[in-house]
Amino acid sequence: MSATVADMHDSHDHHGPVHTGIKRWLFATNHKDIGTLYLVFALVMLFVGGLMALIIRAELFQPGLQFVDPDFFNQMTTMHALIMVFGMIMPAFAGFANWMIPMMIGAPDMALPRLNNWSFWLLPFAATLLVSTLFMPGGAPASGWTLYPPLVLQTGDAFPFAIFAIHLLGISSIMAAINIIVTILNLRTPSMSLLQMPMFVWSWLITAYLLILVMPVLAGGVTMLLMDQFFGTSFFEAAGGGDPVLFQHIFWFFGHPEVYIIILPAFGIISHVIPAFSRKPLFGHNAMVYATACIAFLSCVVWAHHMFTVGMPLAGQMFFMFATMLIAIPTGVKIFNWTATMWQGALTFETPMLFAIAFLFLFTIGGFTGVMMAMVPLDFQYHDSYFIVAHFHYVLVPGALFGAIAGCYFWLPKWTGHMYDERLGKIHFWLTTIFVNLTFFPQHFVGLAGMPRRIPDYAVQFTNFNMMSSIGAFGFGFSQLLLVYVIYKCVKGGAKATAEVWDNPEGLEWTVPSPAPYHTFEVPPVYTPRYGATH
Amino acid sequence: MNDKPAARENSRLLIKLVGLALGMFAFGFLLVPIYDVFCDITGLGGKFDLEAAVVETRVPVDDRIITVEFVASLNEYAPWEFHPAVASMEVRPGQMYDTTFYAKNLTDRELVGQAVPSIAPGQAVRFFQKTECFCFTSQKFTAQEGRDMPLQFVVDPELPEYIDRLTLSYTFFATNQVAQN
Ligand code: HEM
Ligand SMILES: [Cu+2]
């Protein structure tokens, strides 16, 4: 093994949780416990958000109004997106960060364990508050997750509660981001230089900075909404000299970096999975680091590509168009490097690798449609159509979510000490991949043909594609029950996993036994990168 | 990790990062004036200053005719009748023109109205100068009162060549109603 962790402090091995039972989780400060909490929470929210998606797809199975009234339909699109973004995918990656970052950088725990507890425990309350808005007079916000005024100001009694839930979710992720930065910068084993850090750690370091930069801006924006509604200000109220378009600028100043906050940790996970199953070092590690930083920087100056149709002057359209297209370059570098990592590798196709390869293909489809929409004249057609729905679901589901699922299969043996059921894992992969495409690919066609998003009814000629989409969505949703079963089975038992789990993968996390002991790296390990020359 | 210097280093970095987060929160609010100033300087967004323009008289340009269209709009449930006296005018840049908009309070209460102007294309905002406009101040209407409200404007001869049609639109709001909800 490259890294020496000879002194695993056998004498300390009996150190387990201080508390037992429910208290272990309520008062959790151990990074592994908190990581588990985040991951379980995310999995639960995947089904809550998924249920809402299925209500949407059930309604869209046929034209006309079948099951829900239009206002409730729009509450579903709003809540589905908010829950999936803030309640599912971001907590999932925070869970990975908690579990893996300390183990990857040879740190004993997160730097601020009590803050860590707080970051997590805000989430269930915030999510409950958000979901409870559905049961308030007037229902949940129905404006879409973008919360544009003046529409969002027509929300009933739930309005301040929804805004407060968003504040809480934002505070939680800012605290998590701060903790991650302090951990990476201060607790890294001294023998690991910044550039030697594994890609997942790099991705999260950059993501955490992005979070601290843009999350507070969203908090400011929604606070202004609150003030317009209750304190008579006119930030977005034209009658008082304000401008609703300003909200769009504020929202997307947060919103575009946010989509990279979601995808960068997935990039990080993929950068571990592909080398492990190609039995080769990651091609161009440093180039990957620079590309990630470059993506993060560019993501802060492209926000108005979401607003081409508000009536921007030509110069603005040109700037945002070219800046957006520029992002495709560092993204292309990453795709190229993953592919080059596989080139002439000794590939095997275990479940994590299957998800990683599917990620590579399907995320790229989403990237291509992104570049299409970046072109102003074309975007006038695509904007607010199902084409966009197809675009962002390709980058979010087979993109970000597949990254998370790949990571889950990849590290499950390290977490539980057991191998998961490979046969079921593969079945889960094929069902998921087939259904995800069945769900979202037809949406490109109906979008191009003019079907608008966020409308519960549609013209009859779109029926067939919508039926395919709905069947795919139900198939996808039920396939995820298999994921739950595979995880459950793996926690309960299975073949014993070795410390390395896979075929000699690189990284400090593989030098500790499986399951990882409650306390790891209480003494900083000596890190010697295996592929020194390429770093 | 429990030794003092490490803990101090952690809290130092923690404070910096919290400061950054608070700074960005403030920056969110700073975006409001930045946006206004930016729109003002560049004339993007077609937003007007709500002040009378001071215009030195210029020689009207004879060989150029610009169509100015007037649009009056109301948001849902606005208790007004509101329309321009004429739908459009052919104007020569440099020459002063007068027209009016008519508004009527349809309620049995007193209402204070405020017209919010906007122009398309947005680049024209600097070249459309209003020397007098009912939008500069709020307009008080007694119950069922209706009246013509004046507008006086000049189109600057510097208006870019490629623009030959301007749309001036007003949305009329009841401001005492805005304050209520
Ligand atoms: C090459 C990379 C990408 C480009 C050029 C790109 C471009 C765009 C553009 C131009 C839009 C706005 C379309 C419109 O509203 O008319 C858009 C929407 C969107 N994109 Fe991307 N995108 C890229 C990657 C991503 C990634 C990686 C994610 C997330 C993981 C993402 C998530 C979204 C979402 C959620 C929306 C819709 C937001 C909404 O209106 O609700 N995109 N993209
Ligand atoms: Cu974007």
Side-chain angles (χ1 to χ4, degrees), chain A residues 198-220:
Chain A
M199 266 328 283
F200 181 69
V201 180
W202 259 113
S203 306
W204 246 114
L205 181 64
I206 292 169
T207 303
Y209 271 108
L210 271 183
L211 266 167
I212 296 179
L213 282 180
V214 303
M215 223 16 142
V217 176
L218 174 71

Side-chain angles (χ1 to χ4, degrees), chain A residues 288-439:
Chain A
M288 291 296 241
V289 172
Y290 297 133
T292 309
C294 188
I295 290 175
F297 169 76
L298 283 174
S299 78
C300 292
V301 295
V302 299
W303 73 88
H305 64 213
H306 294 273
M307 309 165 49
F308 284 142
T309 53
V310 299
M312 240 187 287
L314 194 63
Q317 294 182 341
M318 300 277 271
F319 172 80
F320 286 110
M321 170 163 91
F322 288 122
T324 303
M325 288 160 85
L326 220 52
I327 296 197
I329 296 173
T331 311
V333 168
K334 303 205 69 125
I335 305 277
F336 178 86
N337 285 6
W338 288 319
T339 316
T341 305
M342 291 198 284
W343 179 252
Q344 296 194 328
L347 301 190
T348 52
F349 300 96
E350 285 86 347
T351 312
M353 183 62 161
L354 289 176
F355 273 101
I357 293 173
F359 169 97
L360 215 57
F361 278 96
L362 301 177
F363 175 80
T364 306
I365 292 181
F368 281 143
T369 52
V371 177
M372 289 168 73
M373 298 185 310
M375 300 177 207
V376 179
L378 300 185
D379 186 60
F380 277 53
Q381 178 189 353
Y382 307 148
H383 183 67
D384 262 348
S385 76
Y386 251 80
F387 191 79
I388 289 195
V389 177
H391 158 70
F392 65 72
H393 282 97
Y394 262 88
V395 283
L396 291 171
V397 183
L401 184 61
F402 272 30
I405 296 177
C408 184
Y409 280 109
F410 190 50
W411 286 309
L412 252 183
K414 177 57 63 187
W415 299 336
T416 64
H418 306 127
M419 297 306 286
Y420 59 87
D421 187 327
E422 187 64 55
R423 197 179 61 92
L424 286 184
K426 287 208 167 96
I427 295 174
H428 173 236
F429 166 77
W430 284 109
L431 289 176
T432 302
T433 304
I434 290 168
F435 282 126
V436 92
N437 283 295
L438 183 61
T439 311

Side-chain angles (χ1 to χ4, degrees), chain A residues 425-502:
Chain A
K426 287 208 167 96
I427 295 174
H428 173 236
F429 166 77
W430 284 109
L431 289 176
T432 302
T433 304
I434 290 168
F435 282 126
V436 92
N437 283 295
L438 183 61
T439 311
F440 297 117
F441 210 79
Q443 296 182 354
H444 291 113
F445 305 134
V446 287
L448 287 177
M451 178 169 159
R453 66 191 281 206
R454 294 174 178 159
I455 307 238
D457 189 5
Y458 52 82
V460 283
Q461 67 268 32
F462 302 140
T463 310
N464 287 346
F465 282 137
N466 271 291
M467 284 184 167
M468 288 160 72
S469 219
S470 292
I471 293 168
F474 277 86
F476 180 87
F478 286 109
S479 308
Q480 302 323 306
L481 294 174
L482 190 54
L483 173 65
V484 176
Y485 177 68
V486 172
I487 294 173
Y488 173 80
K489 202 173 155 200
C490 181
V491 172
K492 285 289 163 199
K496 283 235 54 69
T498 61
E500 289 196 342
V501 181
W502 309 110

Side-chain angles (χ1 to χ4, degrees), chain A residues 111-112 178 181-182 186 212-213 216-217 219-220 224 229 235 238-239 241 243 245-246 249-250 253 313, chain B residues 1 9-10 13-14 17-18 20-21 24-25 27-29 31-32 35 44 47 114 116 173 175 178 181:
Chain A
L112 310 161
I178 289 177
I181 294 177
V182 178
N186 286 1
I212 296 179
L213 282 180
V217 176
M224 289 179 222
Q229 184 81 325
F235 288 105
D243 187 347
V245 174
L246 170 63
H249 282 288
I250 293 177
F253 183 87
Chain B
M1 175 204 147
E9 232 171 84
N10 284 357
L13 186 51
L14 172 70
L17 292 171
V18 171
L20 182 61
M24 288 311 292
F25 184 71
F27 175 74
F29 282 84
L31 281 175
V32 179
Y35 178 76
L44 305 184
K47 283 222 283 183
Q114 171 72 56
V116 176
F173 295 93
T175 48
V178 170
N181 46 5

Side-chain angles (χ1 to χ4, degrees), chain B residues 37-111:
Chain B
V37 170
F38 189 78
C39 289
D40 215 35
I41 295 173
T42 56
L44 305 184
K47 283 222 283 183
F48 286 102
D49 282 339
L50 293 183
E51 279 168 22
V54 186
V55 196
E56 68 273 34
T57 32
R58 292 204 194 78
V59 191
V61 187
D62 273 324
D63 57 345
R64 203 170 161 204
I65 297 290
I66 310 287
T67 308
V68 179
E69 300 171 326
F70 301 103
V71 176
S73 41
L74 293 168
N75 286 347
E76 223 177 332
Y77 310 129
W80 305 99
E81 185 187 325
F82 182 48
H83 55 79
V86 291
S88 73
M89 289 168 89
E90 311 267 289
V91 308
R92 287 193 303 167
Q95 188 168 327
M96 192 88 76
Y97 292 88
D98 287 288
T99 181
T100 58
F101 276 64
Y102 177 81
K104 180 165 194 251
N105 175 0
L106 299 178
T107 70
D108 293 324
R109 292 169 287 123
E110 179 182 287
L111 279 186

